[in-house]
Amino acid sequence: MKKLWAFALLLISASLHAQQIRIATEHISLVYRVNQHGRLIQQYLGSQLTPSGADTLIQNNQEAYITAGMESLLDPAIRAVHNDGNPSLELRYVSSTTTTNNGVNHTAITLKDPVYPFTVVLHFEAFYKDDIIKTWSEIKHTEKKPVKLTAYASAMLHLDANKYWLTQFHGDWAKEADLQEQYLTTGMKILDSKLAVRANMQQSPFFLLSLNQPSSEETGTVLAGTLAWTGNFKFGFEVDELNKLHINAGINPYASDYSLEPNETFTTPAFIFTLSDHGKGIASRNFHRWALANGVLDGYSPRLTLLNNWEATGMDFNEEKLTALFDETKKLGVDMFLLDDGWFANKYPRNADNAGLGDWEPNKTKLPHGLGYLVKEAEKAGVKFGIWLEPEMVNPKSELYTQHPDWILRLPNRDEHYYRNQMVLDLTNPAVQDFVFGVVDKTLTASPGIAYIKWDCNRMLTNAYSPYLKDKQSHLFIDYTRSLYKVLDRVRAKYPHLPIMLCSGGGGRTDFGALKYFTEFWPSDNTDGLDRIYIQYGYSHFFPANTISAHVTNWGKQSLKFRTDVAMMGKLGYDIKVSDFTPQELQFSQEAVKTYNRISDIVWYGNLYRLVSPYQENRAVFQYTSEDKTKSVIFSYLMNVGKNDQFNLVKLQGLDPAKKYRIKEINLFPGSNSRYHFNQVYSGDLLMKEGIQLLPGWASSLTSNILEITAE
């Protein structure tokens, strides 16, 4: 009997050891196997190999989801402290399942501790045509008392290359998404945020990782990854003593020990990544294609062009001023007028940023007839009406602050800390969730016809204490983000397709955790045309153009044409005093809006090629090409050109080599003629192999050109 039992155990062990699990897209393969100890091992991550199945011959032995307290010396993906105080966890393979829905393969791998009733399920969604893999984990247990989690990664990936180069997107207010690339040496490099509510204010939650050598747009192996989470995040890049790289991605566990109740499931946010063997350009296009269909609300729906009043009026306005701007909106030719900050509060009027925030009734002095009157007047003028909200925040000088001091995140025995003269509401409190939803719902129901919301969030979380969470303060950072999603779920249940801009003092919230609720985001308060080239260049690595709001303003010393050409690469808007335009500037802007409406489908949904980087030359060139390769638009910008600058021909991409194309400059300023002489048709093959000269005998700083390329 003992021999039979031993033989059965041997068969089970052999069966597990033979178990292999493949998560695959058209060009990417991620393979796991089970070793002789029942542990899940990442066997391969890379491009699809031929013949099929060749990746299973690679014999890596790194545990897929490393646990704390056992034998590994690496930074763990998960750490748990059990009821008896034992801080160890072992995870052994139990089972895996794969299902397919709408072309997406979902694989779930179940792992369990052999000693404690503790389970982790690793989830993977493989988007075959997009070459995107989305992965997250579920953590649960049935111990008698809560288990303390001190680490809970969404994913762990292991790579083996000669060298590694990490590109991060760092910055601050008005200088967001600045590229910084560095060679990774032995040890740990961490990209993280501890700012919670405005988590992305300095460090963006996405990265590029080049293997063996720095990648270019068209060459090199690069992994692009991001976390779908609107809160504290952490990416750990650990190069071990064998020169292997281990990526740990998930919620930042800083000050966030989590008490997991029996039978409760802790679901981590998704880590989303792609892998390209042909440079950063393909990685970006993979993300754009995936985001339009899966990552952004109504990705393939038209976006509204708009005129914002902020630069024209600030908070100093009344009904007469605003209704006059409706006529300017119509004259400009955009779809909508957006009323920004300053329209609300009566006891403490919102005339500056130090009062009124939280009191969301229209100011009777400025707007005696309310928002509904403005909506109707806008409709009479032939434009839509949008509104600015910042419902998660409060000024100390407000009725809300006085009436609900227990609704505010603040330390009970410290001086209050203000940023932009405001504080954060305790969204973990269900009553506050009801209030925030009510702000949105009341605004929309009281003034039917509001067509757009700009949802702002102008401060990070500091000096925070939740009266509602009481003895579970370490849950605050996690529960706040989850509570925000609860509110947004309610908003979207009632208003499923209302366009809403995700704004957070600029790029403080730029992630796919939030974008499933929003149609676009505000990448930066900095609208200087020159600076925006760099900012929009950075965001373009992960986000499609129709999500990147880009407004024409008076910021910067460039011409109106230059600033407009830059804004036309994203989701076009205006925040400018139209009445100050000269007749030629007004004519140019009106024609620019018409031109944008004509080419917007190519910009929004086409394939982006970053032909010349502003980090490498004193110019930048971008190309958007339709999926069928019949139309393309080139945006070319000269920056601060030096006398020794030499600019080569620019080779186009994404065209059909067999097609013939005609090139025409568009968006010209009235009274000017194109200095290009593209007076013939060109083969796609020639345009891609030989290129075109984008400097027709001149090179003047801060000038720009847009070229339209059409197949004949």
Side-chain angles (χ1 to χ4, degrees):
M1 186 66 181
K2 288 183 178 180
K3 289 183 178 180
L4 287 174
W5 179 243
F7 181 67
L9 286 177
L10 182 63
L11 287 176
I12 293 172
S13 176
S15 175
L16 287 175
H17 185 46
Q19 177 72 40
Q20 288 178 324
I21 305 157
R22 175 181 281 102
I23 293 97
T25 66
E26 186 173 12
H27 299 105
I28 305 170
S29 180
L30 174 60
V31 180
Y32 293 101
R33 65 177 174 84
V34 181
N35 70 8
Q36 65 270 29
H37 304 294
R39 304 270 189 92
L40 185 70
I41 302 299
Q42 182 190 300
Q43 186 166 354
Y44 178 76
L45 171 58
S47 297
Q48 288 279 10
L49 300 179
T50 55
S52 178
D55 48 25
T56 62
L57 301 177
I58 298 171
Q59 293 299 314
N60 289 334
N61 58 2
Q62 185 57 65
E63 192 168 356
Y65 195 74
I66 293 173
T67 62
M70 300 299 287
E71 67 281 352
S72 177
L73 304 180
L74 297 172
D75 190 39
I78 184 170
R79 182 176 182 270
V81 180
H82 301 282
N83 294 175
D84 59 4
N86 191 322
S88 67
L89 186 67
E90 181 183 5
L91 294 176
R92 294 185 184 177
Y93 175 83
V94 175
S95 63
S96 64
T97 60
T98 298
T99 57
T100 301
N101 185 26
N102 293 327
V104 180
N105 290 328
H106 174 226
T107 298
I109 306 173
T110 300
L111 311 172
K112 285 187 178 181
D113 191 301
V115 176
Y116 294 92
F118 194 101
T119 302
V120 173
V121 182
L122 304 180
H123 292 271
F124 303 86
E125 285 184 346
F127 296 81
Y128 185 81
K129 285 294 183 183
D130 299 329
D131 279 323
I132 290 285
I133 296 177
K134 179 179 177 182
T135 177
W136 69 96
S137 60
E138 288 183 332
I139 303 166
K140 52 191 173 183
H141 72 90
T142 57
E143 298 187 31
K144 294 181 180 180
K145 297 179 181 179
V147 169
K148 183 167 71 173
L149 300 178
T150 65
Y152 28 78
S154 297
M156 200 165 191
L157 299 177
H158 310 284
L159 298 166
D160 189 3
N162 295 324
K163 293 181 179 180
Y164 311 94
W165 277 265
L166 175 67
T167 301
Q168 62 176 304
F169 298 79
H170 194 76
D172 203 343
W173 180 83
K175 50 184 178 182
E176 292 86 353
D178 184 47
L179 271 72
Q180 299 178 357
E181 186 173 53
Q182 68 180 111
Y183 168 64
L184 292 180
T185 59
T186 304
M188 178 71 79
K189 168 73 176 182
I190 292 176
L191 306 180
D192 73 343
S193 170
K194 304 179 183 70
L195 304 181
V197 181
R198 195 176 169 192
N200 309 353
M201 177 177 169
Q202 295 176 339
Q203 181 68 55
S204 298
F206 39 85
F207 65 87
L208 302 172
L209 184 77
S210 297
L211 307 183
N212 297 313
Q213 61 186 16
S215 299
S216 70
E217 283 295 309
E218 303 170 51
T219 63
T221 300
V222 60
L223 184 146
T226 185
L227 189 72
W229 180 247
T230 318
N232 291 348
F233 60 86
K234 176 184 174 183
F235 301 127
F237 303 88
E238 186 172 7
V239 180
D240 67 19
E241 70 284 357
L242 299 176
N243 198 46
K244 295 186 178 183
L245 175 63
H246 313 278
I247 303 175
N248 218 331
I251 297 173
N252 192 345
Y254 165 78
S256 297
D257 289 354
Y258 194 89
S259 179
L260 186 65
E261 298 290 334
N263 296 304
E264 177 188 0
T265 299
F266 185 100
T267 302
T268 70
F271 175 65
I272 308 164
F273 70 95
T274 187
L275 187 71
S276 164
D277 272 347
H278 299 284
K280 300 172 184 176
I282 285 180
S284 293
R285 292 188 287 277
N286 289 347
F287 261 102
H288 296 171
R289 193 168 53 249
W290 171 85
L292 288 169
N294 304 281
V296 180
L297 182 70
D298 294 337
Y300 283 105
S301 295
R303 286 349 190 204
L304 298 171
T305 53
L306 60 85
L307 174 65
N308 195 330
N309 71 298
W310 184 253
E311 295 292 333
T313 69
M315 297 184 187
D316 181 18
F317 55 78
N318 54 32
E319 286 180 347
E320 185 178 358
K321 282 186 179 180
L322 295 180
T323 52
L325 291 177
F326 298 163
D327 293 330
E328 293 189 7
T329 305
K330 181 64 175 179
K331 184 187 297 184
L332 183 61
V334 294
D335 301 311
M336 181 179 64
F337 173 82
L338 172 62
L339 177 57
D340 213 295
D341 195 358
W343 59 269
F344 52 91
N346 288 289
K347 184 175 181 180
Y348 304 100
R350 183 70 168 177
N351 296 321
D353 67 11
N354 63 349
L357 200 58
D359 302 341
W360 295 101
E361 70 281 347
N363 180 271
K364 295 177 181 178
T365 301
K366 296 180 183 180
L367 308 177
H369 298 96
L371 290 178
Y373 169 79
L374 294 179
V375 174
K376 291 178 181 177
E377 289 300 303
E379 290 174 349
K380 288 179 184 177
V383 296
K384 298 178 184 294
F385 182 87
I387 194 73
W388 178 94
L389 294 172
E390 192 176 7
E392 301 164 67
M393 302 289 160
V394 62
N395 286 130
K397 194 175 181 179
S398 69
E399 292 184 84
L400 179 65
Y401 178 93
T402 303
Q403 295 167 1
H404 294 286
D406 58 321
W407 281 11
I408 300 168
L409 292 171
R410 57 182 173 182
L411 291 166
N413 58 348
R414 305 282 187 188
D415 291 340
E416 291 181 345
H417 176 253
Y418 307 136
Y419 184 89
R420 200 177 180 258
N421 299 303
Q422 64 193 58
M423 303 178 74
V424 183
L425 295 176
D426 185 4
L427 208 57
T428 67
N429 186 333
V432 177
Q433 295 172 30
D434 290 341
F435 170 79
V436 173
F437 171 75
V439 168
V440 179
D441 190 39
K442 182 180 177 181
T443 302
L444 294 174
T445 55
S447 305
I450 289 178
Y452 184 93
I453 290 175
K454 178 181 178 182
W455 184 303
D456 216 337
C457 171
N458 277 300
R459 70 154 296 168
M460 72 299 294
L461 198 56
T462 58
N463 295 43
Y465 176 92
S466 165
Y468 178 78
L469 290 177
K470 298 178 182 177
D471 62 346
K472 290 188 175 181
Q473 295 301 313
S474 64
H475 287 208
L476 175 58
F477 289 142
I478 295 172
D479 284 356
Y480 187 97
T481 304
R482 288 176 172 175
S483 299
L484 173 63
Y485 292 161
K486 287 180 182 178
V487 172
L488 294 172
D489 280 332
R490 293 172 66 182
V491 170
R492 283 308 176 197
K494 189 167 183 180
Y495 307 99
H497 300 292
L498 179 76
I500 306 180
M501 176 201 288
L502 174 62
C503 181
S504 185
R509 284 174 168 171
T510 50
D511 64 90
F512 287 115
L515 277 175
K516 68 180 181 180
Y517 301 104
F518 293 84
T519 49
E520 60 222 59
F521 67 91
W522 184 236
S524 178
D525 282 342
N526 184 349
T527 52
D528 178 293
L530 182 59
D531 292 341
R532 265 299 182 115
I533 290 174
Y534 291 93
I535 292 169
Q536 293 171 202
Y537 180 88
Y539 283 118
S540 75
H541 286 79
F542 288 85
F543 302 103
N546 69 343
T547 67
I548 302 174
S549 294
H551 292 182
V552 180
T553 76
N554 279 324
W555 279 42
K557 299 179 181 179
Q558 312 89 31
S559 68
L560 176 62
K561 172 175 167 51
F562 187 97
R563 288 176 276 131
T564 303
D565 287 354
V566 172
M568 288 174 71
M569 285 199 306
K571 203 229 76 172
L572 177 66
Y574 287 80
D575 195 341
I576 201 165
K577 199 170 183 179
V578 177
S579 60
D580 286 346
F581 281 166
T582 66
Q584 286 142 321
E585 288 176 333
L586 178 59
Q587 181 186 347
F588 167 76
S589 298
Q590 291 170 330
E591 291 301 317
V593 172
K594 293 176 183 177
T595 298
Y596 180 77
N597 289 335
R598 183 171 58 79
I599 67 172
S600 59
D601 279 4
I602 306 170
V603 175
W604 293 348
Y605 313 130
N607 290 313
L608 169 62
Y609 300 89
R610 294 179 292 263
L611 302 181
V612 178
S613 166
Y615 289 90
Q616 295 174 346
E617 298 184 23
N618 282 324
R619 66 169 172 170
V621 183
F622 303 80
Q623 177 186 355
Y624 296 86
T625 302
S626 63
E627 194 69 38
D628 63 5
K629 302 183 179 183
T630 61
K631 296 180 180 180
S632 190
V633 181
I634 304 290
F635 295 85
S636 177
Y637 309 98
L638 288 179
M639 296 170 330
N640 292 312
V641 178
K643 62 181 181 179
N644 295 321
D645 281 330
Q646 294 183 359
F647 300 119
N648 297 323
L649 298 179
V650 176
K651 296 179 180 179
L652 306 189
Q653 295 185 43
L655 303 178
D656 185 336
K659 290 185 185 298
K660 299 291 186 180
Y661 294 91
R662 189 171 295 278
I663 305 175
K664 178 184 178 182
E665 183 174 7
I666 59 174
N667 219 43
L668 292 165
F669 202 80
S672 65
N673 296 311
S674 177
R675 300 174 73 174
Y676 292 104
H677 300 286
F678 299 119
N679 53 4
Q680 63 187 68
V681 294
Y682 304 85
S683 73
D685 203 32
L686 181 144
L687 293 173
M688 291 191 290
K689 290 180 179 177
E690 295 299 320
I692 57 175
Q693 176 58 263
L694 293 179
L695 304 171
W698 52 273
S700 179
S701 293
L702 302 179
T703 56
S704 59
N705 306 90
I706 303 179
L707 303 178
E708 185 175 19
I709 302 175
T710 307
E712 294 192 344

